[in-house]
């Protein structure tokens, strides 16, 4: 009987751990809490690039460890596999993750995998951020308008195509610097405690928005922006059907919560390049699964 109880306890603990791994939002702070709005419009953090259309004043100070974006030439299948290096970081305190955190070796690769176990180097800042010429749900020139050049150009084409189909879109939140993510995350930890914050906000380095390749979108009315109800809109249906044609994937699909670590987010688009996006849709997999399958059997010497 003691053994049975012990097994039950273990099973319950595993279930709890699995539940806690699935967060409520894509590291934006959650659909309910509207962290994007809080972070970008009403109370911009001191470290954000508010009001500036150029590069951050901190750009010269950062030393991004960039690697060539091999996947930009449509070679994602063979060369787009993110390399990783192990670190000894663990996160026992938060209770949400105890596995090793890996720092991605290819932060500038358009197919880079960033999630709860793969983080960007602390010093990483995309070097080719631009303002995509698309409507946003706000008027201010904020940091969160920015995307990397290739992704921004693709986004413009995507928005044009949606508009042509009478479903005009608007950007809600794109790039977020490491500093901004840290400010947002720290604010939530202070407010709700670390364990609670981890359920709805990504830790610094773990948000896809820091890559400059992700954007949350909505219909041009802004209705259901970054909220569950967006999934039922015509815009969401259109995006699910057409985003890959422009190199974007619905990064956190329904039913894949256990793999991505995030609940279904029909509004969170991630640019990975057209070839990779189409392959991911065709295979019906997540970026996690796609990258895992692309890992070479024979590991190169290091
Ligand atoms: Zn997002």
């Amino acid at each position: 009987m003691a053994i049975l109880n012990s097994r039950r306890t273990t099973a319950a603990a595993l279930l709890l751990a699995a539940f806690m791994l699935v967060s409520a939002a894509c590291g934006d702070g959650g659909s309910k809490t509207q962290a994007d709005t809080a972070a970008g419009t009403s109370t911009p953090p001191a470290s954000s690039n508010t009001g500036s259309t150029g590069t951050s004043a901190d750009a010269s100070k950062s030393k991004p460890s960039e690697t060539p974006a091999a996947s930009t030439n449509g070679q994602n299948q063979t060369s787009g596999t993110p390399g990783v290096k192990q670190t000894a970081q663990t996160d026992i305190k938060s209770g949400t993750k105890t596995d090793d955190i890996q720092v991605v070796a290819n932060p500038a690769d358009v197919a880079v995998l960033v999630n709860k176990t793969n983080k960007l180097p602390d010093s990483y800042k995309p070097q080719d951020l631009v303002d995509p010429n698309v409507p946003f749900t706000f008027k201010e020139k904020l940091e969160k308008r920015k995307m990397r050049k290739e992704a921004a150009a693709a986004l413009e084409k995507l928005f044009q195509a949606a508009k042509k189909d009478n479903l005009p879109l608007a950007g809600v939140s794109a790039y977020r610097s490491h500093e901004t993510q840290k400010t947002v995350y720290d604010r939530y930890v202070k407010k709700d405690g670390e364990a609670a914050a981890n359920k709805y906000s990504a830790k610094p380095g773990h948000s896809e928005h820091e890559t400059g390749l992700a954007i949350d979108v909505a219909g041009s009315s802004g209705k259901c922006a970054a909220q569950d109800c967006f999934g039922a809109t015509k815009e969401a249906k259109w995006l699910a059907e057409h985003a890959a044609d422009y190199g974007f994937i619905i990064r956190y699909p329904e039913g894949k919560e256990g793999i991505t670590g995030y609940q279904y987010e029909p509004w969170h688009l991630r640019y990975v390049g057209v070839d990779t996006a189409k392959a991911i849709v065709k295979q019906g997999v997540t970026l996690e699964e796609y990258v895992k399958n692309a890992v070479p059997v024979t590991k190169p010497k290091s």
Side-chain angles (χ1 to χ4, degrees), residues 26 28 209 216 265 267-268:
C26 57
D28 299 327
H209 288 270
D216 299 329
E265 293 193 353
W267 61 83
H268 179 103

Side-chain angles (χ1 to χ4, degrees), residues 178-218:
H178 186 87
E179 292 76 20
T180 302
Q181 186 66 29
K182 189 176 186 310
T183 302
V184 170
Y185 177 75
D186 288 349
R187 186 195 304 153
Y188 288 129
V189 169
K190 202 173 177 182
K191 181 169 165 272
D192 293 333
E194 190 173 346
N198 286 340
K199 289 181 188 172
Y200 60 79
S201 180
K203 292 182 177 185
H206 292 270
S207 171
E208 272 208 330
H209 288 270
E210 292 174 54
T211 66
L213 298 167
I215 182 168
D216 299 329
V217 301

